[in-house]
Amino acid sequence: MKIVVVDGYTLNPGDLSWEPLKELGEVTIYDRTAPDETVARCIDADMVLTNKVIFNAEVINALPKLKYIGVLATGYNVVDTMAATEHNVIVTNIPAYSTESVAQMVFAQILNITNRVGHYACENSKGRWTNNTDFCYWDTQLTELAGKKIGIVGLGNTGSATARIANAFGMDVCAFTSKPQESIPNYITKLILDELFSQCDIVSLHCPLTETTKELVNEARLATMKPTAILINTGRGPLINEQAVADALNCGKIAAFGADVLSVEPAQPGNPLLGAKNCYLTPHIAWATYEARIRLMNICIDNVKAFINGTPQNVVN
């Protein structure tokens, strides 16, 4: 079985092992693959593993030996699943491997915004505390989370994990979800979307990207939020209108924005969020803890084994 990993560096920059995969077949690993290299590198492959390299209908049509595409992520929009199905190619993904890590990033963003640890650490490295007249100082508002209302848009795996953490902080947890009230924890109150955005001190996005959720956060919705509100996005970049959020930050219509995702990645020089006030961006790393990547690698190996054994798992097409 010939297996090609087209962009292995993101998952494994050198701190994990590909050896369990190599035990399953003849494996070729590329750190990165450009679009015009994909077909040539995969032409003899029975199986390919991809994170962000695109396998559209044109690519799939050009790979007659291909039987399996393993996506090294939960989202699988990099594969044309309809074309794969037409060519009898199984497509799998890696579900729920980073749930706790993403929820942790949500609160890393929230705590950075409310306590500004990075800001004060930077100031102190420059000698500000050493030269301070008083035993302490602060030049930003410091905010206690207990008693604040957090609204979670989407109660899937990461939304539910974020809700648990928020509850532990003593926050009033609300959610917009299709789940009935009796099926969710009793510390979560269901709200309609407009109520959630207008009432909550913090709004965190955890819904999938669909035609109905694209630019869910737009100028009109931002106008309903409190001027003290914090918006967090660890879901998908296009859930927000980036220009509208940048304008809201710069005009003081909302207090802060923390995000781990953008509509185009890596960030483009003209992205309005890069220069916006009180905007805190991390480079799509919420999923990338060592522990989460180990889980991803293990599930990837299990998916490959299952396919070889004729019992494919985590199939998305």
Side-chain angles (χ1 to χ4, degrees), residues 3-317:
I3 304 170
V4 175
V5 183
V6 291
D7 54 351
Y9 183 85
T10 304
L11 167 59
N12 180 17
D15 56 350
L16 303 180
S17 173
W18 292 110
E19 290 307 313
L21 181 66
K22 292 178 180 178
E23 294 174 2
L24 302 177
E26 180 185 333
V27 178
T28 303
I29 299 167
Y30 298 99
D31 283 346
R32 301 168 184 86
T33 295
D36 60 358
E37 297 174 322
T38 306
V39 171
R41 289 183 170 184
C42 300
I43 194 66
D44 293 323
D46 301 293
M47 309 175 71
V48 297
L49 301 179
T50 178
N51 189 319
K52 292 295 183 287
V53 174
I54 292 173
F55 283 78
N56 56 24
E58 182 181 358
V59 172
I60 293 170
N61 289 341
L63 301 173
K65 295 184 180 180
L66 189 62
K67 304 178 184 69
Y68 173 91
I69 301 173
V71 181
L72 300 174
T74 302
Y76 50 89
N77 57 304
V78 296
V79 178
D80 185 330
T81 53
M82 185 175 297
T85 300
E86 289 172 356
H87 288 77
N88 297 314
V89 176
I90 292 290
V91 182
T92 66
N93 74 336
I94 314 287
Y97 71 93
S98 63
T99 298
E100 302 303 330
S101 294
V102 174
Q104 180 176 309
M105 175 60 84
V106 172
F107 272 87
Q109 289 278 4
I110 291 171
L111 291 169
N112 176 59
I113 291 167
T114 55
N115 288 79
R116 297 294 301 278
V117 172
H119 165 71
Y120 291 106
C122 182
E123 288 294 295
N124 291 343
S125 71
K126 295 185 289 188
R128 184 171 176 184
W129 197 12
T130 306
N131 298 311
N132 202 59
T133 302
D134 303 307
F135 79 95
C136 71
Y137 71 91
W138 64 91
D139 56 9
T140 66
Q141 178 171 304
L142 304 174
T143 302
E144 186 175 272
L145 292 181
K148 297 295 187 295
K149 182 176 286 190
I150 185 171
I152 297 170
V153 181
L155 271 184
N157 291 322
T158 62
S160 296
T162 300
R164 291 196 301 272
I165 298 171
N167 182 56
F169 268 102
M171 303 184 75
D172 183 2
V173 184
C174 304
F176 174 74
T177 176
S178 59
K179 296 177 180 179
Q181 181 69 58
E182 57 270 19
S183 72
I184 62 178
N186 58 14
Y187 60 79
I188 300 176
T189 301
K190 283 187 66 171
L191 293 178
I192 64 172
L193 203 57
D194 289 342
E195 290 176 336
L196 185 145
F197 273 85
S198 64
Q199 294 179 18
C200 289
D201 301 295
I202 299 171
V203 174
S204 187
L205 305 178
H206 298 273
C207 53
L209 177 62
T210 66
E211 286 302 315
T212 57
T213 62
K214 184 177 181 181
E215 297 194 0
L216 175 78
V217 180
N218 50 33
E219 183 178 0
R221 186 148 277 135
L222 288 161
T224 69
M225 298 180 73
K226 298 178 180 181
T228 54
I230 296 167
L231 177 65
I232 305 293
N233 186 14
T234 56
R236 293 289 183 264
L239 293 174
I240 70 161
N241 180 302
E242 291 173 342
Q243 186 63 61
V245 171
D247 291 343
L249 291 167
N250 292 331
C251 295
K253 291 182 179 178
I254 63 172
F257 176 57
D260 189 54
V261 289
L262 292 176
S263 59
V264 178
E265 297 171 347
Q268 300 300 293
N271 190 303
L273 291 172
L274 292 174
K277 295 179 181 178
N278 300 318
C279 182
Y280 305 92
L281 303 177
T282 49
H284 206 140
I285 55 172
W287 68 278
T289 62
Y290 180 68
E291 293 80 3
R293 289 187 295 110
I294 288 176
R295 283 192 292 272
L296 194 160
M297 179 70 84
N298 289 340
I299 297 171
C300 162
I301 301 301
D302 288 343
N303 283 351
V304 171
K305 286 180 180 178
F307 174 78
I308 293 172
N309 292 334
T311 56
Q313 63 181 19
N314 297 317
V315 177
V316 296
N317 68 330

